[in-house]
Amino acid sequence: MIEQQKIDYERIAEAIIYIKQNFKAQPNLEEVAEKVKVSPFHFQRLFTNWVGVSPKKFLQFTSVEYAKQILKEQRTTLFETAYRTGLSGTGRLHDLFIKIEGMTPGEYKNGGQNLNINYSYAQSPFGNILVASTSKGICYMAFSNQKEQAFDTLKKRFPNADFNQVVDRIQQNALFIFKSDWKELNQIKLHLRGTDFQLKVWDTLLKIPKGGLTTYGSIANYMNKPKASRAVGTAIGNNPVAFLIPCHRVIQSTGEFGQYHWGNTRKTVMIGWEAAKTNQ
């Protein structure tokens, strides 16, 4: 068993290296499987179990990461970026960015330029928060006792966006989450950017009932990625919307609450507060 795991690991490592070195040629499943000397069917399953995403998704992520580097070169056109990434054209580049980054290549290149973001500060049972929104929904929410520091973090996510300190209806709907009667909530809209895997993890978090808890492994199993607990943990750590996307409801399999981006004490208080509210 151990020997087979070692062989599988070496095959996956070889496949990852091959994809990273040859992604501009956009190799298909059969090509990569042949490289590591297994059938395409077996390779698809093996790679997905080990990496947490399919070979095709991994190739897409690799292509987009390279395209992001190129787009930081201010004089590079979208057509040239698509060509250098090995994609068939700007349409393919556009589709990949929308799917993986949640924004167009032009929006990424411009750092959120022409994107209008409203933001405001509010109080919650767990401390002060900054909440930000676009016309599509909440794009960021974080706990912070220092307003300037919170705003600086927001600006780093969207360095070229236009910011307005305004309270809008989208933010107000989101802040209803802190009311004790959750049945009064209007539909909360989110405007998120992330990889396909991150978005799936965050969507799964939204399915955890208020007052409920789950584990990293349970989320991985729910997503049919039983070996991706570590990748799930990374995606949870990158959650840009505190409390609304309830990463605080995820604990370790041992029963310990574990780490939390906005403070372990705050996580403990949140879990206790929600349990009390749901038992009223």
Side-chain angles (χ1 to χ4, degrees):
M1 182 68 176
I2 295 178
E3 181 62 26
Q4 184 59 50
Q5 288 179 339
K6 181 176 181 295
I7 294 173
D8 290 343
Y9 170 79
E10 291 174 348
R11 282 174 170 163
I12 296 303
E14 184 180 3
I16 289 174
I17 293 172
Y18 181 80
I19 292 173
K20 283 184 171 293
Q21 291 178 343
N22 297 276
F23 70 91
K24 293 181 183 180
Q26 296 292 294
N28 58 32
L29 177 67
E30 288 73 18
E31 291 178 68
V32 185
E34 183 180 0
K35 178 65 178 177
V36 297
K37 297 179 176 58
V38 295
S39 71
F41 176 80
H42 180 64
F43 175 67
Q44 171 87 4
R45 185 172 58 183
L46 183 66
F47 190 96
T48 302
N49 286 338
W50 275 82
V51 182
V53 295
S54 67
K56 181 178 179 181
K57 291 291 185 185
F58 185 81
L59 175 61
Q60 291 175 345
F61 297 156
T62 302
S63 300
V64 168
E65 286 302 313
Y66 181 72
K68 285 160 64 176
Q69 295 177 22
I70 296 175
L71 287 171
K72 291 178 181 179
E73 303 171 13
Q74 295 299 315
R75 297 181 181 179
T76 304
T77 66
L78 297 183
F79 178 81
E80 182 182 356
T81 300
Y83 176 78
R84 290 170 59 182
T85 308
L87 301 175
S88 57
T90 56
R92 177 63 175 149
L93 179 68
H94 178 277
D95 292 344
L96 275 185
F97 257 85
I98 289 293
K99 190 172 185 180
I100 294 177
E101 287 296 318
M103 59 174 61
T104 68
E107 288 173 337
Y108 180 86
K109 180 179 180 181
N110 295 329
Q113 189 173 342
N114 300 324
L115 186 65
N116 292 311
I117 296 178
N118 292 337
Y119 72 96
S120 62
Y121 301 95
Q123 293 182 334
S124 80
F126 317 110
N128 298 327
I129 60 173
L130 181 150
V131 56
S133 58
T134 70
S135 60
K136 297 179 181 179
I138 298 296
C139 62
Y140 183 77
M141 193 161 102
F143 294 100
S144 178
N145 293 326
Q146 298 181 1
K147 292 184 176 181
E148 292 184 1
Q149 183 180 31
F151 184 56
D152 286 343
T153 302
L154 172 63
K155 287 195 296 183
K156 288 179 181 178
R157 295 186 66 88
F158 305 96
N160 297 322
D162 293 325
F163 294 96
N164 305 291
Q165 189 171 350
V166 175
V167 179
D168 59 28
R169 176 62 63 181
I170 292 175
Q171 296 171 19
Q172 290 177 331
N173 286 345
L175 293 174
F176 278 130
I177 194 73
F178 295 112
K179 284 193 171 184
S180 59
D181 187 359
W182 284 304
K183 295 180 181 179
E184 293 182 1
L185 286 174
N186 292 321
Q187 183 178 3
I188 297 175
K189 298 179 180 179
L190 298 174
H191 182 191
L192 303 176
R193 54 170 292 194
T195 67
D196 186 58
F197 183 79
Q198 287 175 327
L199 293 174
K200 286 182 180 178
V201 170
W202 299 339
D203 181 65
T204 302
L205 294 179
L206 293 172
K207 294 179 173 65
I208 305 173
K210 300 176 182 68
L213 299 174
T214 190
T215 65
Y216 300 97
S218 295
I219 292 178
N221 287 329
Y222 180 86
M223 296 173 59
N224 294 320
K225 309 288 186 183
K227 296 184 179 180
S229 295
R230 182 169 296 181
V232 166
T234 300
I236 290 174
N238 289 326
N239 171 25
V241 182
F243 201 82
L244 286 179
I245 299 179
C247 53
H248 60 280
R249 296 174 190 160
V250 184
I251 64 175
Q252 298 176 359
S253 58
T254 59
E256 297 179 4
F257 286 173
Q259 300 297 312
Y260 184 58
H261 181 72
W262 291 283
N264 296 357
T265 300
R266 181 175 279 120
K267 180 176 184 177
T268 301
V269 173
M270 285 180 179
I271 292 173
W273 184 80
E274 287 191 334
K277 293 296 182 183
T278 53
N279 290 327
Q280 286 181 350

